[in-house]
Amino acid sequence: MGQEQLQVIRRADPAWLSQVLGIRVEGFEADVIGAERGFVSTTTRLRLRTDPPGCGPAAVVLKSESANPVFQGLSRKLRAFEREVRFYRELAPPLADQLPRVHGCSDGDDDHWLLLDDLSELRPGDQVRGLSQDEVMAVLRRIARVHARYWQDPVLESRPWLPAHTYWFTGDFSAVLPAFERDYALRLGEETMKLIRAAVASNDAIEAALRRRPWTLVHGDLRADNLLFGGSSADPVATILDWQTATRSLAAIDVVFLIGGSEPVAERSGHLEELLELWHCELVAAGVDGYRPQEARRDLQLAALRCLNVCLRVYEFLQDPAAPPRVALLNDTELQRHAAAALELRAHEALDALTG
């Protein structure tokens, strides 16, 4: 594949790679990976030819902005690359054993890229297929350590690039609701639609409630397509990628987003309580004090209300006639999983508490 077809890697010439890596790169072969998985970025594997052979990594991964104008616009609105680059520079060091090594990153406003270790030996998660119960448990163990490390840590408040409670699914979706209801009411059922309508109407109250709860570092897009797995299928080890939507917010958002968006309903049936208990126990074991199980449950219900916005945001994405088939299937699947999770978590109890 020639570089004329890969506009997003136009800077990846041998001289540039040599400078970034501190070795002599004579050439490389490039392949775009995950083309239908990463929405706000493009990821390219570069297989390197070095002099002498073997003096550096055999391959690296270059992550840069999406060539899709819709997702590039979303990326810039969210300041996604600034958030991810700053995350790796300023917040990732204590978490280094859980993350890919960073070989280099951009430092300008108009040139956004990260050069990372190639982890192609690991198994990628698949959002459409979904995650197994064991895989979800592995991710919860990982993310709980992140949550615990930065639980109410003032260092997060001192980072101006890290927004509070800002997600790609934040917003007022009242204008989208009628069309959404027309297309999905029959499939989701009246109980679910009643909850979605109430959550949209209570958007400001939900936002205010989030801001009153304990906060930490939150991934913000914790789903199967942003995960890699090592180990066996029965005992997987998770690596969490794509920190472009990192935010300071309610930890339970990550939990609900993961379970609600990535674990098929049939797979999590009968196991939801086990997952929630695991996450809370991992937090406590990692040093989070005074966070009672009943508080965690109410936070998970509040998070489920906020994650109902995902249903409406991805419905907007579904209106793009140019969306590849996998993206359309992914959005439709994610929408229905999140709606089901809100019912399973009895999110209406948190809504009743907000609205009186």
Side-chain angles (χ1 to χ4, degrees):
M1 185 176 293
Q3 288 211 49
E4 68 279 359
Q5 296 174 273
L6 295 174
Q7 298 177 14
V8 292
I9 66 162
R10 58 188 176 277
R11 290 197 56 198
D13 58 76
W16 177 76
L17 285 168
S18 297
Q19 181 181 14
V20 173
L21 296 171
I23 60 175
R24 183 175 178 180
V25 177
E26 294 191 323
F28 60 87
E29 296 179 359
D31 296 295
V32 174
I33 55 178
E36 295 183 357
R37 299 188 180 205
F39 293 129
V40 298
S41 63
T42 297
T43 306
T44 309
R45 180 180 297 115
L46 308 176
R47 296 190 296 276
L48 307 179
R49 298 191 302 274
T50 62
D51 182 22
C55 67
V60 292
V61 169
L62 177 63
K63 184 175 181 181
S64 56
E65 281 193 306
S66 171
N68 182 305
V70 173
F71 294 125
Q72 186 179 102
L74 177 62
S75 172
R76 294 192 177 189
K77 180 180 178 181
L78 294 172
R79 301 184 69 87
F81 263 89
E82 178 187 6
R83 285 156 78 172
E84 185 163 34
V85 167
R86 297 272 188 165
F87 163 78
Y88 276 109
R89 283 180 173 174
E90 301 176 25
L91 301 179
L95 311 169
D97 64 326
Q98 306 181 61
L99 301 167
R101 177 186 174 189
V102 178
H103 294 281
C105 57
S106 58
D107 56 9
D109 293 332
D110 299 319
D111 183 23
H112 304 122
W113 58 271
L114 279 162
L115 198 63
L116 306 165
D117 261 349
D118 175 33
L119 300 179
S120 57
E121 75 278 6
L122 301 180
R123 304 185 304 277
D126 187 314
Q127 188 76 17
V128 175
R129 172 187 175 273
L131 299 179
S132 70
Q133 179 79 353
D134 289 329
E135 288 171 334
V136 172
M137 293 174 70
V139 179
L140 289 176
R141 292 188 184 98
R142 285 293 200 190
I143 200 63
R145 290 175 58 188
V146 175
H147 293 160
R149 172 60 182 81
Y150 285 105
W151 193 268
Q152 296 285 96
D153 190 334
V155 72
L156 299 184
E157 295 181 294
S158 70
R159 298 298 189 266
W161 55 268
L162 185 69
H165 314 292
T166 300
Y167 301 95
W168 59 265
F169 48 90
T170 297
D172 178 0
F173 292 96
S174 54
V176 181
L177 188 57
F180 174 85
E181 189 162 1
R182 179 195 66 217
D183 290 340
Y184 275 92
L186 190 63
R187 299 166 68 183
L188 298 180
E190 177 55 26
E191 184 180 11
T192 300
M193 286 308 309
K194 181 179 178 181
L195 182 59
I196 291 174
R197 287 193 294 267
V200 170
S202 304
N203 182 67
D204 291 345
I206 294 169
E207 186 70 21
L210 285 174
R211 294 178 181 276
R212 292 193 294 268
R213 300 303 299 147
W215 44 261
T216 185
L217 179 64
V218 171
H219 182 279
D221 195 24
L222 192 61
R223 58 188 180 89
D225 283 353
N226 291 334
L227 300 167
L228 298 173
F229 295 95
S232 67
S233 59
D235 187 22
V237 178
T239 298
I240 301 173
L241 307 175
D242 294 333
W243 291 84
Q244 294 175 314
T245 55
T247 184
R248 178 175 63 82
S249 192
L250 182 71
I253 295 279
D254 276 342
V255 179
V256 172
F257 194 92
L258 172 70
I259 297 172
S262 294
E263 187 171 20
V265 176
E267 177 70 6
R268 72 175 180 246
S269 179
H271 300 292
L272 185 59
E273 291 300 320
E274 179 184 357
L275 295 174
L276 305 184
E277 183 178 350
L278 169 66
W279 171 68
H280 182 261
C281 288
E282 291 287 334
L283 284 179
V284 173
V288 174
D289 295 324
Y291 190 51
R292 298 172 298 168
Q294 54 267 42
E295 287 183 273
R297 170 160 291 282
R298 184 50 57 91
D299 283 345
L300 289 160
Q301 292 175 327
L302 180 61
L305 290 177
R306 174 46 74 228
C307 286
L308 282 174
N309 274 4
V310 175
C311 300
L312 296 149
R313 177 65 80 191
V314 301
Y315 176 74
E316 292 181 324
F317 294 159
L318 282 168
Q319 308 315 302
D320 180 2
R326 184 185 184 277
V327 172
L329 180 59
L330 182 157
N331 288 332
D332 181 70
T333 301
E334 188 172 25
L335 183 162
Q336 296 191 63
R337 286 176 184 164
H338 274 291
L343 290 185
E344 289 181 65
L345 285 165
R346 302 178 62 84
H348 66 86
E349 294 178 358
L351 188 61
D352 293 342
L354 293 179
T355 60

